[in-house]
Amino acid sequence: MSEAARELARNDAVMLLLCGDVMLGRGVDQILPHPGQPMLHERMVHDARSYVDLAVQANGPIPRPVDWAWPWGDALDLIKDARCDARILNLETSITTSDDYATGKAVHYRMDPANIRVLAAIQPDVCVLANNHVLDFGRSGLLETLDVLFGSRFRYAGAGGSLREALTPAVVPIPKTGGRVVVLACGHLSSGIPSDWAAAAGRPGVHLVTTLTEAVADELGRQVREVRRPGDVVVVSLHWGSNWGYRIEDDFRRFAHHLIDSGVDLVHGHSSHHPRPLEVYRHKLILYGCGDLVNDYEGIAGHRQYRSDLRLLYLALLDPRSGELIELRIAPLQARRLRLHRAAEHDVAWLRRTLDKMSRRFGSRIDLEPDGLLTLHSPS
């Protein structure tokens, strides 16, 4: 897109906020005004409050209870200033009082429904549920999660009480353009979603894809075309891949390209605990892995080379007529005391170097702007 075309498109451009995994259970749930049952079914940790203690040991005291805005911290002002048309996050937490935990899983994430106002603090437009934790407390836990979200007027995508509901995209009206943001969500086995979590006719579950083939991408594209209207921006949100590492497998990249070729405007990938490469393909944005945003992982040892304490908010400006990317700005944050803070200058510099290095093979470059935000540049 030429610079003149970019300026013209900005007048009615759609601003999307995109982020990775939001985990409001376990330790985060315990510092909120209505902490749920702290008992855990993990091999090493049996009380959710232990994760609060780890965070305190790592970075200092945490008041209890905190207010609803606490976990989001400095992210709230960044989001407010961005004037987003749609805010899309991967909600990697069941919201339930169910004790029907999934046996065979190493960890289980649960937030008490009485703490739903912590989600309201960020005002998400779409909560993606096609992930490997939304059924941590069984199908009863999923159904309660759906009821709580629906009762609080939060749209969701990627899971449901039946296959039909799990396949149904979330639709966000954009009054200024008359168009909509359409979000279709699914998860892949590579992210650790158990195969028996797949939704079926009359069976609650997630929208699960088992292979990353052109045929599957075409089917998702067909589903998109069934609901798409002129002026719509279409996002496919994918929970896929392992937790650690920067390498993007060839089949992942081909699949993302096939989605764009099938009519998708933006691929929103998540599952990794740290950011993965960025690519612009046919002028459309592909986020292979957004990294975590909110969780209780402070003080947990291991994988320090990936700096998973650093978190990113992605602000993507799209042309609603073509779905093409006009601009991507990235806000660097750091998790301390179970709260998001603006990242320090040296951490932002590290993020820029790391994102730039791993995205070069995809034709993308990352620059640092005077305001402390990162921007993406691509020859396409």
Side-chain angles (χ1 to χ4, degrees):
M1 183 181 291
S2 69
E3 195 56 41
R6 288 178 191 272
E7 288 305 315
L8 183 63
R10 286 177 194 275
N11 295 330
D12 58 0
V14 173
M15 175 67 80
L16 302 183
L17 167 76
L18 301 137
C19 64
D21 300 352
V22 170
M23 198 288 284
L24 299 169
R26 215 167 56 175
V28 179
D29 182 59
Q30 291 303 304
I31 66 171
L32 295 172
H34 306 290
Q37 168 59 250
M39 184 178 68
L40 299 176
H41 303 278
E42 301 178 9
R43 188 177 66 175
M44 302 296 293
V45 181
H46 305 292
D47 191 310
R49 290 168 292 195
S50 298
Y51 287 101
V52 182
D53 295 339
L54 285 172
V56 169
Q57 292 168 21
N59 290 311
I62 300 170
R64 278 181 265 183
V66 298
D67 61 35
W68 303 115
W70 177 275
W72 310 106
D74 293 340
L76 289 178
D77 285 339
L78 286 166
I79 295 169
K80 181 180 178 181
D81 292 344
R83 298 182 180 180
C84 305
D85 295 297
R87 306 172 183 188
I88 304 167
L89 56 84
N90 176 51
L91 182 62
E92 202 169 41
T93 311
S94 58
I95 308 173
T96 181
T97 57
S98 171
D99 290 320
D100 184 21
Y101 70 95
T103 58
K105 291 192 91 244
V107 295
H108 306 85
Y109 298 150
R110 171 180 58 180
M111 181 181 80
D112 193 285
N115 284 326
I116 189 63
R117 287 176 63 186
V118 70
L119 192 59
I122 201 173
Q123 298 179 344
D125 292 289
V126 180
C127 298
V128 172
L129 302 180
N131 58 59
N132 59 316
H133 286 289
V134 74
L135 272 87
D136 275 356
F137 288 85
R139 289 188 161 82
S140 60
L142 170 62
L143 291 174
E144 185 175 9
T145 300
L146 301 177
D147 285 344
V148 172
L149 291 173
F150 181 80
S152 300
R153 299 184 179 180
F154 294 133
R155 302 176 187 89
Y156 57 82
S162 66
L163 178 59
R164 181 176 181 179
E165 184 179 351
L167 294 174
T168 301
V171 177
V172 183
I174 308 297
K176 70 183 183 184
T177 67
R180 309 172 303 169
V181 176
V182 178
V183 181
L184 181 70
C186 57
H188 183 247
L189 291 172
S190 60
S191 69
I193 301 174
S195 58
D196 62 356
W197 283 16
R203 184 179 74 183
V206 302
H207 179 191
L208 183 66
V209 297
T210 57
T211 60
L212 298 175
T213 62
E214 185 173 355
V216 173
D218 287 343
E219 173 58 22
L220 292 172
R222 184 194 63 79
Q223 295 171 27
V224 163
R225 290 191 294 275
E226 283 187 350
V227 299
R228 185 168 203 155
R229 300 175 185 170
D232 285 353
V233 169
V234 176
V235 176
V236 167
S237 189
L238 274 166
H239 202 64
W240 61 351
S242 61
N243 289 335
W244 306 102
Y246 296 123
R247 176 176 171 78
I248 304 300
E249 303 294 340
D250 290 342
D251 57 339
F252 281 57
R253 191 178 188 191
R254 284 194 298 267
F255 190 76
H257 288 189
H258 287 321
L259 287 174
I260 301 295
D261 293 339
S262 297
V264 174
D265 297 315
L266 190 152
V267 177
H268 171 223
H270 36 84
S271 178
S272 58
H273 289 319
H274 59 86
R276 284 192 163 140
L278 303 92
E279 182 178 15
V280 177
Y281 170 71
R282 295 182 60 182
H283 307 289
K284 306 291 182 72
L285 178 63
I286 300 172
L287 301 171
Y288 284 103
C290 290
D292 293 332
L293 185 64
V294 175
N295 55 37
D296 65 354
Y297 301 169
E298 285 177 66
I300 300 176
H303 302 286
R304 293 187 183 277
Q305 70 270 31
Y306 295 109
R307 293 297 310 273
S308 61
D309 60 311
L310 299 178
R311 315 291 170 81
L312 299 179
L313 287 174
Y314 300 82
L315 299 165
L317 198 65
L318 272 60
D319 184 341
R321 293 161 292 195
S322 64
E324 294 181 0
L325 180 69
I326 299 171
E327 177 184 78
L328 177 68
R329 288 163 62 81
I330 308 168
L333 300 157
Q334 184 184 41
R336 298 195 311 274
R337 301 167 63 224
L338 300 183
R339 188 173 187 268
L340 294 173
H341 302 259
R342 292 292 292 261
E345 286 186 17
H346 65 277
D347 289 324
V348 175
W350 182 90
L351 274 168
R352 191 212 67 79
R353 290 194 305 270
T354 303
L355 286 170
D356 185 71
K357 181 179 179 180
M358 68 182 177
S359 298
R360 285 187 185 187
R361 67 173 286 236
F362 299 92
S364 299
R365 300 297 303 268
I366 308 298
D367 289 336
L368 175 61
E369 299 298 322
D371 61 2
L373 270 62
L374 306 175
T375 54
L376 177 146
H377 295 278
S378 172
S380 67

